Amino acid sequence: MNTVAVVGFSSAGTSLTTSGVETLVPVITAALEDAGLGRREVDFWCSGSSDYLAGRAFSFVSAVDAIGAVPPIAESHVEMDAAWALYEAYLKILAGEAETALVYGFGKGTAGDLDRVLSLQLDPYTVAPLWPGAVGIAALQARLALDAGLFTEDDMARVVGRRAEGPYLSCPLREHDVARVADGAAAVVLAASDRARRLRERPARISGFAHRVDPQGLGERDLTTVPSAVAAARDAGLDGTVDVAALHAPFTHQELLLREVVRAGSYLPFGANAMFSAGLSRIGSAAGEVMSGRARTAVGHATSGPALQQNLVCVLEA
Amino acid sequence: MRRAAVLGTGQTEHRTRRTDVSMAGLCREAIDRALADAGTGWDQIDAVVLGKAPDLFEGVMMPELFLADAIGAAGKPLLRVHTAGSVGGATGIVATSLIRAGVHRRVLAVAFEKQSESNAMWALSIQPPFSAPITAGAGGYFAPHLRSYIRKYAAPDHIGALVAVKDRRNGALNPYAHLRQPDITLESVQRSPMLWDPIRYDETCPSSDGACALVIGDQAAAEASSRQVAWIRATAMRTEPTFYAGKDHVNPRAGALAAAALWSAAGIKQPLDEIDVAELYVPFSWFEPMWLENVGFVGQGQGWKLVESGETRIGGALPVNPSGGVLCSNPIGASGLLRFAEAAMQVMGRAGEHQVPGAATALGHAYGGGSQFFSMWVVGRQP
C-alpha cells in the first residue's frame, strides 16, 4: 500500500475578493514552491469552501481560475473545511489513482456576520428559525463543561495567555475566549511516499488519518465530551503523546476539551478563525513542525459544525 | 487496483414538490431502498458520502450536518461533496475511492436536491461584489452552445425534439420518473413554446425534489452478495475553467479528456461497440448528440445522425437514457448519481420496464457548471 506525506504548505490570513482567486494564486504558488513541485506535475486537485460564507452559489467555480485548469485537470471539491478535501486527496493517493495532490481551502469570514451565518447550519425546521448564533451555542457547551467541573474560566483564559477578566460576550465566554473571525486561504501539497522522499529530505508522513461526525441535536449528545474526536483519534492510531499538536478550536473551552483527546508536548496557538481553510492550515502547520525538524511526531486537527460536531485527526511523523 | 462494486441502488419518487417529507425523509426514502436492494444493514455501512448542488438551493448551510443522524452517518465518517451539476457523479466516485483506498468495506453514497425548499432561480441570481453577474437560468446560458452545434454541423431542427420524445416515452416506463408522458409526439414537442431558441418547453428538464442512494462495496462484500452486482470498471473526473481563450462549449476538452481516461482505464477501445447502454446527463435535449460526440461514441458532427437513425432508443445500437434521464427528473444534486445508479441497475438486470435486454456494460455520465466539471463511470456485470 502507498503511504502519503505532506511535502508543502502555505497559508494567508487575508483575502481580497469572494471569488478567492486573488487570494489563492500566491498561496498555491508558494505551496508548490515549498514542495519543489511544478503546477503541471499535480495529479489531483481538491478544495474546500462554503457558498454560504461567500454569499453566493458555486463559489468554488471561479476558484478553479486560480489553478490555471487549461489543459483540464483531475479535480474535486468538498463543501467543508479543506481538511476534509485533504482526506479525499489522501485516499486518492492511497488508492493508487494519483501520486501527487494539491489541496486548498479559502473563505472570507469577514464578509458577513459569521455568528449569524453559522445558525444556518442548524436544523432548518426546528432550530435555525430561532437564530441561536454560533457563539451562543459555544457558550452553552462551555457552561456545561464549567458546571461539570472540567476546568475553570481561568483555565480557559490561560489557553490564550490571558486572565479571566473583562465583560462577557456570551456568558461564560469573554472576548478572549472567542477566536477572531478572519479571511484566509491555505494550500497543502501531498505526495506518495517514494515521490515525497525525492521532493524533500524530511517529508511529514501521514501515519494515521480519520474523521467522524456526531449527531447534531444539541440535546442528543453530552456536549462536554467529544465522541467523534475520540473515535477519529483512535482510528488514526493516536496513542500516547505527540511532540506537538495544532488544534482547530475557535473557542478556548474547545481547546481544553480537545487537549484531553490529543495529548501533546506543546500546542501551536490558534490565531484566528479563518473558516474553511483553518482546519487545513492546522494540518499544514503541524506538518511544518515535522518537515522543519522541530518535531518528530505531530497532530493536525480540524473541526466543523456546532459545538465540535465533526472532527478530523491527522497524525504526522518524520 | 482494488475492485469496487455497486451492491444496491435506491431512489425516490420525483415530483415538483415533495411536501410529504422533510429533507431527512427524502434522503431516507432513497437510502432505505438502497440498503434493501443491497441486502445491507446500517451496521455494515462504514462511511457516508453526501452530495448535493449549492446549499442555497435549500437555504441550509452544509445540510449534511443536521442530516448526519437521519442518513446513518452519526458516529461514522461523513464527507460532503459539491461539484456543481456533476456532483451526483462525483459523489459516486468519491465513495468508490473510499473503497479502493482500502479503508472501508461498504460505503453509502447519497445525493439529493429538495428544490422546493427554496428558490433555485434566486439562489443562482445573487450579485456578489466585484464579480460579473451570473446568468439567470441554465437554459439561457446553454442555448447559444446548442445553436452553435446546430450551425457547425448543419443538424436538422427536429433532432432535439426526437430526443425529447424518446426520453419522455422512456420515462413513462420508469415508476420513479417525475415526468411520464407515454403519448408525447414529435409534433406536440414542436408545438410547445420556444423558451430559449433553440430550446422548446418540452425539451427542458423539470425542477424536481428527489434523492438517490447507492451502497458501494469492496471485492469481498461484492462476492458475498447473493445478487448480481455492478462492478465499477473505471471512474474519471476532469475540470476546466468556465471561460478561457479557445474554450469549446460544443465539445469541452474536460469532457473529452475524462472520457478518454475512462475508456483507457476500463480497457474499452470501441465505446459504441462495447457499451450496451448509456445514461448521459441531458438537461436540454440537444445535449444528447453533443455528448455522444464529446465522450467519443461517434465522431464530430455524427451525433445527430445517430439520434436521427433511432439507434439511441431502447432496442437500438446504443440505448441512451432508458430511464428517461434528466429530461424526466432533475433533482440537480442527485441527477448525476441517478445516471450512475441507472447504469448500475441496467447491468444488474434490475431496471424493470426500461431494462435494456442483455445489458452487460454501461456508462454513467454527469456534467456541471458551464460545461466544465465532468464525472463518469463504467460499470459491468463482470469486473
Side-chain angles (χ1 to χ4, degrees):
Chain A
M1 184 193 272
N2 281 329
T3 57
V4 185
V6 174
V7 293
F9 169 59
S10 177
S11 67
T14 56
S15 78
L16 301 174
T17 74
T18 54
S19 79
V21 177
E22 289 159 67
T23 315
L24 283 167
V25 168
V27 172
I28 288 173
T29 303
L32 288 171
E33 275 173 13
D34 189 37
L37 195 71
R39 187 164 59 86
R40 297 272 174 246
E41 296 178 277
V42 177
D43 294 335
F44 180 66
W45 301 76
C46 201
S47 67
S49 67
S50 163
D51 281 350
Y52 259 96
L53 208 64
R56 63 186 294 190
F58 299 120
S59 64
F60 63 94
V61 173
S62 53
V64 169
D65 292 342
I67 302 173
V70 186
I73 54 172
E75 188 261 352
S76 188
H77 172 257
V78 296
E79 189 81 357
M80 310 172 80
D81 187 290
W84 278 266
L86 190 77
Y87 184 76
E88 185 180 330
Y90 161 80
L91 291 182
K92 205 83 176 166
I93 295 174
L94 272 190
E97 295 179 53
E99 194 180 38
T100 59
L102 188 144
V103 177
Y104 62 96
F106 62 99
K108 195 171 172 63
T110 62
D113 180 348
L114 187 66
D115 185 52
R116 201 167 161 82
V117 169
L118 290 177
S119 288
L120 292 164
Q121 288 187 335
L122 306 169
D123 186 311
Y125 305 109
T126 60
V127 187
L130 304 172
W131 295 97
V135 178
I137 288 171
L140 191 71
Q141 184 178 39
R143 170 55 61 204
L144 288 165
L146 289 171
D147 288 355
L150 298 182
F151 41 72
T152 65
E153 290 185 38
D154 281 327
D155 294 332
M156 287 161 55
R158 268 194 290 275
V159 168
V160 287
R162 302 284 285 268
R163 292 167 53 187
E165 57 189 17
Y168 288 114
L169 199 63
S170 181
C171 183
L173 300 178
R174 301 171 207 267
E175 197 167 332
H176 59 248
D177 292 312
V178 181
R180 179 175 58 84
V181 175
D183 303 341
V188 169
V189 184
L190 292 180
S193 54
D194 292 350
R195 186 72 176 272
R197 277 190 294 273
R198 289 201 298 276
L199 285 168
R200 164 155 229 147
E201 201 177 308
R202 194 181 158 96
R205 186 172 63 85
I206 297 176
S207 63
F209 202 168
H211 63 96
R212 284 280 191 276
V213 68
D214 289 316
Q216 185 178 77
L218 298 173
E220 292 171 37
R221 58 185 165 112
D222 175 359
L223 295 181
T224 65
T225 64
V226 197
S228 57
V230 172
R234 187 189 59 227
D235 287 352
L238 187 63
D239 53 359
T241 303
V242 292
D243 294 340
V244 61
L247 302 176
H248 180 193
F251 303 93
T252 53
H253 73 277
Q254 293 184 341
E255 172 91 19
L256 293 175
L257 290 173
L258 290 164
R259 283 182 184 180
E260 293 297 312
V261 181
V262 178
R263 297 188 176 277
S266 65
Y267 295 91
L268 297 180
F270 183 62
N273 190 15
M275 292 286 295
F276 299 93
S277 68
L280 179 69
S281 196
R282 299 310 275 165
I283 297 171
S285 298
E289 295 295 299
V290 173
M291 290 190 287
S292 68
R294 287 190 292 273
R296 195 187 65 77
T297 56
V299 164
H301 160 268
T303 194
S304 176
L308 299 173
Q309 186 194 351
Q310 193 170 23
N311 289 279
L312 173 147
V313 171
C314 181
V315 185
L316 300 142
E317 293 181 2
Chain B
M1 189 178 285
R2 290 183 195 83
R3 284 178 177 153
V6 179
L7 310 180
T9 71
Q11 61 183 283
T12 58
E13 276 82 26
H14 304 286
R15 287 203 295 275
T16 305
R17 288 183 185 81
R18 285 293 305 270
T19 51
D20 56 326
V21 285
S22 62
M23 277 178 251
L26 189 75
C27 288
R28 273 301 276 272
E29 192 174 305
I31 293 169
D32 288 346
R33 284 171 178 161
L35 290 174
D37 192 47
T40 299
W42 284 107
D43 57 342
Q44 293 177 289
I45 299 295
D46 301 323
V48 180
V49 182
L50 184 131
K52 60 166 257 75
D55 289 0
L56 273 70
F57 276 1
E58 286 82 10
V60 184
M61 184 180 188
M62 303 160 79
E64 72 280 5
L65 292 171
F66 97 89
L67 289 171
D69 219 5
I71 60 176
K76 294 172 184 170
L78 170 65
L79 280 175
R80 158 69 194 287
V81 181
H82 176 16
T83 61
S86 72
V87 65
T91 307
I93 290 174
V94 172
T96 304
S97 287
L98 298 188
I99 299 293
R100 286 193 165 157
V103 297
H104 299 304
R105 288 200 63 191
R106 288 182 189 82
V107 174
L108 180 67
V110 192
F112 83 96
E113 208 73 76
K114 200 161 189 301
Q115 289 187 245
S116 66
E117 297 271 338
S118 182
N119 181 322
M121 185 66 89
W122 172 84
L124 291 175
S125 302
I126 289 174
Q127 285 269 348
F130 319 120
S131 294
I134 294 171
T135 310
Y141 181 86
F142 290 120
H145 311 153
L146 307 181
R147 176 56 68 192
S148 176
Y149 174 81
I150 292 166
R151 286 201 181 138
K152 193 171 180 184
Y153 297 117
D157 285 347
H158 65 282
I159 299 300
L162 282 175
V163 173
V165 171
K166 169 182 71 74
D167 282 6
R168 291 282 163 76
R169 287 186 180 172
N170 286 349
L173 304 172
N174 176 0
Y176 297 110
H178 179 172
L179 297 180
R180 310 180 72 230
Q181 299 175 311
D183 301 323
I184 196 168
T185 65
L186 187 68
E187 294 70 30
S188 70
V189 174
Q190 289 175 325
R191 275 199 309 271
S192 69
M194 185 68 84
L195 296 183
W196 308 274
D197 185 18
I199 306 171
R200 293 183 183 278
Y201 181 80
D202 279 352
E203 296 176 81
T204 68
C205 53
S207 293
S208 313
D209 284 357
C212 180
L214 300 184
V215 179
I216 298 177
D218 66 4
Q219 183 160 356
E223 286 169 357
S225 174
S226 58
R227 307 178 75 188
Q228 173 72 48
V229 301
W231 292 97
I232 300 164
R233 289 179 49 186
T235 67
M237 285 171 71
R238 289 293 184 278
T239 294
E240 68 184 33
T242 317
F243 303 107
Y244 60 91
K247 167 108 180 187
D248 186 348
H249 279 96
V250 172
N251 186 29
R253 291 172 73 180
L257 280 180
L262 184 79
W263 302 137
S264 168
I268 287 173
K269 293 182 173 58
Q270 300 292 335
L272 190 58
D273 298 336
E274 298 176 56
I275 296 292
D276 300 314
V277 54
E279 282 279 339
L280 301 179
Y281 201 102
V282 176
F284 303 100
S285 62
W286 278 98
F287 271 109
E288 178 170 308
M290 283 169 59
W291 292 152
L292 285 169
E293 297 170 20
N294 187 240
V295 302
F297 282 119
V298 291
Q300 292 298 296
Q302 303 301 307
W304 67 262
K305 294 172 187 168
L306 198 69
V307 172
E308 190 174 48
S309 69
E311 297 290 357
T312 60
R313 294 180 201 148
I314 297 174
L318 178 69
V320 176
N321 295 333
S323 68
V326 182
L327 273 185
C328 290
S329 312
N330 190 27
I332 297 174
S335 291
L337 196 60
L338 283 164
R339 305 284 69 71
F340 280 41
E342 289 284 352
M345 287 160 61
Q346 289 286 344
V347 301
M348 293 159 118
R350 296 180 214 161
E353 292 288 301
H354 62 282
Q355 177 69 46
V356 173
T361 307
L363 169 71
H365 164 275
Y367 88 101
S371 298
Q372 65 187 120
F373 302 105
F374 291 84
S375 54
M376 309 173 191
W377 78 9
V378 170
V379 288
R381 293 180 74 83
Q382 304 297 329

